Amino acid sequence: MKIFAASSLLFVTLAQVAQGHYIFQYLTANNQKGAQYQNVRRNTNYNSPVTALASPDLRCNVGGSTGGNTTTVAVAAGSSVTFTADTAVYHQGPVTFYMSKVADAVSADGSTDWFKVKEIGPTFSGGQAKWDMSISYSVTIPSCIAAGDYLLRIEQLGIHNPGSTPQFYVACAQVKVTGGGSKALSPTVKIPGHVKATDPGYTANIYNNFNSYTIPGPKVATC
Ligand SMILES: *[C@@H]1O[C@H](CO)[C@@H](O)[C@H](O)[C@H]1NC(C)=O
Ligand SMILES: [Cu+2]
């Protein structure tokens, strides 16, 4: 009985890991990779995706509605920062970055306006789509935005199972932008609400006659 209990516990643990996918939990800023969850909000759903399009969990993942004990890192406008996951992304789909200006990056709940900073879609060649499935993704903090606290969010949308609900792998970093300008970038969106169930990039069948793709969400905001 004891052996059975131990092995079923092991099974549960393995099942959680296998079902766990990947999660962004490191931030590199100022050319230094932080420790796990240093300047990145901790989530409470292992590494499961968020799948409800109307859920506030889409902002900074389950458990990430405030920063708790998460620290905030100072980064210069115009500099590069990188999110790194525990294991490389392995579900096909787009990667996007969003930012939201907030009063205080620790207490911000992400209900403020967000603008898209960068998007990474597939490339098409010889009738084949190629997705950037990596362990790290980098983004440049726009040089023109006002100094101050921001939430910086990464979103990887798994659309690998056409017909099933797509999966959002999201995380938020807490940054204090220094330098910069005075621009409030647009267009802005609320999250949730930035992706609609009818968006072609959400409903796409990547295995059938797939030769173009529109990344969900607003246009990338530029300086
Ligand atoms: C921060 O809080 C989490 C629980 O949310 C805990 O696991 C972690 O050890 C805490 N870190 C510090 C530095 O206190
Ligand atoms: Cu999966």
Side-chain angles (χ1 to χ4, degrees):
M1 232 29 229
K2 226 175 198 159
I3 287 163
F4 176 77
S7 65
S8 42
L9 181 64
L10 178 65
F11 176 78
V12 167
T13 308
L14 287 175
Q16 270 170 358
V17 171
Q19 185 218 28
H21 316 294
Y22 38 87
I23 181 160
F24 297 100
Q25 49 186 208
Y26 300 91
L27 187 76
T28 300
N30 309 305
N31 297 315
Q32 256 189 309
K33 186 180 175 188
Q36 190 183 40
Y37 297 114
Q38 186 178 355
N39 310 311
V40 176
R41 289 189 178 180
R42 199 178 281 272
N43 61 300
T44 54
N45 56 341
Y46 299 96
N47 23 27
S48 301
V50 179
T51 55
L53 271 183
S55 172
D57 291 335
L58 269 190
R59 293 170 186 156
C60 296
N61 212 342
V62 179
S65 62
T66 69
N69 60 13
T70 308
T71 51
T72 301
V73 62
V75 294
S79 72
S80 175
V81 297
T82 301
F83 280 94
T84 299
D86 56 340
T87 178
V89 163
Y90 60 89
H91 289 325
Q92 296 96 325
V95 174
T96 49
F97 293 89
Y98 289 78
M99 290 180 78
S100 184
K101 188 161 194 338
V102 296
D104 171 48
V106 179
S107 59
D109 68 359
S111 61
T112 39
D113 290 345
W114 295 82
F115 53 91
K116 189 190 270 178
V117 183
K118 182 179 180 179
E119 59 185 21
I120 306 169
T123 52
F124 294 92
S125 158
Q128 291 284 325
K130 190 172 186 309
W131 297 90
D132 177 5
M133 293 197 280
S134 303
I135 195 166
S136 292
Y137 298 94
S138 297
V139 63
T140 299
I141 306 288
S143 56
C144 62
I145 59 174
D149 281 18
Y150 288 81
L151 294 177
L152 169 66
R153 173 179 177 274
I154 186 169
E155 169 186 302
Q156 198 270 340
L157 177 61
I159 53 170
H160 51 294
N161 267 332
S164 316
T165 310
Q167 304 177 345
F168 288 87
Y169 296 89
V170 297
C172 290
Q174 298 175 187
V175 299
K176 187 182 286 294
V177 173
T178 61
S182 56
K183 240 185 174 162
L185 289 184
S186 64
T188 62
V189 289
K190 296 290 190 190
I191 301 174
H194 67 309
V195 177
K196 313 241 171 345
T198 52
D199 285 348
Y202 183 79
T203 59
N205 183 331
I206 63 168
Y207 306 111
N208 184 20
N209 212 357
F210 185 61
N211 44 38
S212 72
Y213 183 72
T214 306
I215 297 173
K219 278 197 308 208
V220 171
T222 52
C223 283

